Amino acid sequence: MQWETVIGLEIHAQLATKSKIFSGASTAFGAEPNTQACAVDLGLPGVLPVLNEEAVRCAVTFGLAIGAEVNRRSIFARKNYFYPDLPKGYQISQYEQPIVARGELVIELEGGSSKVIGITRAHLEEDAGKSLHEDFHGMTGIDLNRAGTPLLEIVSEPDLRSAKEAVAYAKAIHSLVRHLGICDGNMQEGSFRVDANVSVRLKGQREFGTRAEIKNVNSFRFLERAINFEIERQIDVIEGGGSVVQETRLYDPDRDETRSMRGKEEAHDYRYFPDPDLLPVVLEESFIDKVRASLPELPAEKKQRFITHYGLPAYDAAFLTADRALADYFEEALKVGGCEPKLAANWVMGDVSAALNKAGLEIGACPVSAAMLGGLLKRIADNTLSGKLAKEVFEAMWAGEGDADAIIEKKGLKQITDESAIEALVDGVLAQFPAQVEEFRSGKDKVFGFLVGQVMKAAKGKANPAQLNAVLKKRLEG
Ligand code: ADP
Ligand code: MG
């Protein structure tokens, strides 16, 4: 039988505000448990929530970036449920009138095709606290620092048809919120969490199948695996004569499987109603205009500009613009270096990224600043450095030995480009290895590499490789 997969994602992005959505407590990650939860976050009786304007600004920014409807009037609602990390007994969310509705995002797929994914809505809500199951033998600890952190829940249409498409969409949203500066996107810290709704149906069937919702997958790799596992599981259930149950499932990366967590609630189970403590959010046109005017260049626009303006291949443009900080780094290095854009791109995508990966660092913490890389690029472009010497300089910059010019000076790493100096080196080597020269002249081309190596050695690695090759060839053939 031919099955088709249907997926819709609900993405929770923690908004990068300093204080919480309804209180003045800090949202900084990693503080001692329960040191950043004030009376409002604890849900003590008699307190009143006050909306953080910055959270609204973030939501509107997102709405405008995806060409969505930004609702001039939206409503906060109480979503009632009991959980130990939710002391009020309800979460303040938006239900019937979310702040953002009906947008879309174009995702790029393997092989260069693209697809438009509908975004049903994006609403503001507060995060819950955290239950800590690990450190307390036989008990669970409750940390309410996260309670009240602003979230934007971004709900997609069920437009995704494979795990790969779901990952491409999740990555595109991740890149977008980071570009917009409204979410730090840190998945380990839970700033960006993805729930996947997955169902299968027979090809050609109109109605959707029953879905299962996989909660809180914290990496793109796990998202792909969790969805693929879930697809197989559902197909097995149906082909075995059973039917899929609507439920919430958890992905276990250690066993690479999803497990049932609880039966799926329906909206009416939450008894949503407008929160009487909060006024409707009414947006003035001037506010929206101001947000629109402050929108940065979007990832897709940036990528296009990198292709047309810098003449970079699509792959390079996609790589560099996937992260705004990386794109900024590239542009700054290029400006300082004044070199070919492709040379700068190769360095950022190659040596810089490899060193960052190895050190487990983000571009923001790169010990070689964009200006320093630019200084290196300048010396490659003006032929002071060969590729090999440049790598040596880069390593020294990484180790904190100063900028490129200082290192070139200190280590005497200037490339030899003086033609007569190279000729002298070549002649010296040819005089030293007459047997090899004979071999070459009798047709054994392989010794050419050996002779190149000897000249480079004599030049202490500093001869310009292209010139060295040309001079050696000329002399051997002459
Ligand atoms: P809830 O809020 O109860 O989780 P929604 O109807 O708002 O339910 O849908 C949540 C997500 O599930 C959306 O992203 C939507 O696209 C997706 N979805 C809805 N029905 C299906 C289905 N049959 N298969 C896969 N995804 C679905
Ligand atoms: Mg849901």
Side-chain angles (χ1 to χ4, degrees):
M1 278 187 272
Q2 286 282 312
W3 294 98
E4 181 179 53
T5 306
V6 173
I7 305 164
L9 298 189
E10 293 164 279
I11 296 179
H12 290 87
Q14 277 185 356
L15 297 176
T17 58
K18 292 204 173 66
S19 58
K20 296 194 176 168
I21 184 165
F22 300 120
S23 85
S26 167
T27 56
F29 180 84
E32 274 291 293
N34 299 309
T35 56
Q36 288 177 176
C38 70
V40 172
D41 312 320
L42 295 173
L44 298 187
V47 297
L48 282 174
V50 176
L51 180 59
N52 182 345
E53 182 180 326
E54 184 59 15
V56 176
R57 206 190 55 76
C58 291
V60 172
T61 301
F62 180 79
L64 294 174
I66 58 163
E69 286 170 15
V70 174
N71 285 329
R72 298 329 192 234
R73 190 172 191 277
S74 61
I75 306 278
F76 281 106
R78 291 187 180 180
K79 180 181 184 182
N80 298 280
Y81 65 93
F82 172 80
Y83 207 73
D85 58 24
L86 186 76
K88 291 200 299 295
Y90 60 86
Q91 177 194 26
I92 305 178
S93 181
Q94 294 190 309
Y95 182 55
E96 278 179 335
Q97 294 183 51
I99 187 158
V100 170
R102 280 207 290 232
E104 57 186 41
L105 192 68
V106 178
I107 60 168
E108 313 251 323
L109 301 170
E110 270 169 34
S113 64
S114 59
K115 180 171 174 180
V116 180
I117 305 301
I119 294 176
T120 318
R121 57 189 274 149
H123 61 255
L124 283 167
E125 61 184 26
E126 59 179 345
D127 210 341
K130 251 192 268 185
S131 298
L132 309 172
H133 300 296
E134 269 146 33
D135 302 330
F136 309 91
H137 309 281
M139 294 187 289
T140 291
I142 300 292
D143 176 8
L144 294 171
N145 283 352
R146 199 177 70 176
T149 298
L151 294 176
L152 189 66
E153 176 170 339
I154 303 158
V155 182
S156 86
E157 288 290 306
D159 286 346
L160 302 156
R161 290 293 173 270
S162 68
K164 284 231 172 342
E165 284 188 17
V167 170
Y169 167 79
K171 283 186 171 168
I173 293 280
H174 186 255
S175 164
L176 179 61
V177 295
R178 284 176 48 110
H179 259 83
L180 297 172
I182 61 173
C183 171
D184 70 19
N186 189 323
M187 296 178 84
Q188 278 81 50
E189 293 180 0
S191 311
F192 188 90
R193 314 196 289 268
V194 181
D195 300 341
N197 293 271
V198 180
S199 66
V200 296
R201 65 178 171 188
L202 283 176
K203 274 235 164 84
Q205 178 183 317
R206 272 187 65 98
E207 310 80 50
F208 289 142
T210 305
R211 71 187 143 125
E213 178 171 359
I214 313 166
K215 279 276 177 202
N216 286 348
V217 189
N218 68 355
S219 81
F220 295 121
R221 194 161 52 93
F222 289 162
L223 179 63
E224 183 167 345
R225 284 167 48 178
I227 291 172
N228 280 329
F229 174 87
E230 186 57 23
I231 295 169
E232 290 306 312
R233 188 191 70 84
Q234 292 186 9
I235 293 173
D236 283 351
V237 167
I238 301 170
E239 290 187 343
S243 47
V244 174
V245 188
Q246 182 162 329
E247 63 183 351
T248 301
R249 299 178 70 87
L250 265 191
Y251 177 67
D252 177 347
D254 296 329
R255 295 163 66 169
D256 190 23
E257 63 176 28
T258 64
R259 277 200 301 277
S260 180
M261 190 164 103
R262 57 171 188 254
K264 169 77 182 153
E265 321 70 12
E266 300 288 345
H268 63 249
D269 294 325
Y270 290 116
R271 204 172 54 92
Y272 281 98
F273 62 88
D275 192 317
D277 286 345
L278 286 157
L279 291 166
V281 183
V282 176
L283 302 177
E284 287 172 1
E285 292 311 312
S286 59
F287 178 82
I288 297 174
D289 289 343
K290 238 166 79 189
V291 177
R292 188 178 287 113
S294 71
L295 275 186
E297 183 181 36
L298 301 177
E301 296 167 354
K302 201 184 275 289
K303 182 182 157 199
Q304 205 43 52
R305 180 167 63 82
F306 276 30
I307 294 171
T308 47
H309 182 72
Y310 295 129
L312 291 176
Y315 175 85
D316 298 30
F319 185 105
L320 295 169
T321 58
D323 184 72
R324 183 176 169 184
L326 194 68
D328 290 347
Y329 183 97
F330 161 78
E331 290 204 279
E332 163 90 29
L334 176 61
K335 205 170 105 204
V336 174
C339 61
E340 282 290 311
K342 182 64 179 142
L343 177 69
N346 287 348
W347 271 86
V348 174
M349 292 166 44
D351 294 69
V352 174
S353 292
L356 288 171
N357 273 344
K358 206 169 141 210
L361 293 174
E362 296 268 336
I363 187 72
C366 185
V368 177
S369 69
M372 284 165 77
L373 182 71
L376 176 68
L377 294 173
K378 212 191 260 174
R379 295 298 161 247
I380 301 172
D382 72 8
N383 255 328
T384 306
L385 295 174
S386 64
K388 189 163 157 285
L389 292 177
K391 280 182 191 294
E392 221 180 307
V393 174
F394 179 76
E395 274 170 31
M397 290 200 297
W398 185 276
E401 293 177 36
D403 65 16
D405 284 345
I407 292 164
I408 291 166
E409 184 67 33
K410 194 171 76 187
K411 302 200 168 191
L413 288 178
K414 232 169 133 65
Q415 172 171 241
I416 303 168
T417 51
D418 175 33
E419 194 84 6
S420 57
I422 292 176
E423 281 167 359
L425 287 164
V426 167
D427 291 343
V429 166
L430 295 188
Q432 202 185 335
F433 296 99
Q436 281 79 357
V437 172
E438 259 330 290
E439 268 181 57
F440 180 85
R441 288 185 174 143
S442 67
K444 281 197 181 161
D445 306 356
K446 264 166 67 186
V447 286
F448 189 75
F450 167 81
L451 293 168
V452 168
Q454 291 305 317
V455 181
M456 230 356 153
K457 200 170 145 200
K460 299 200 174 65
K462 292 186 221 161
N464 176 291
Q467 283 176 294
L468 187 164
N469 270 277
V471 170
L472 183 62
K473 216 166 179 181
K474 202 170 70 195
R475 285 291 207 260
L476 283 170
E477 283 163 2

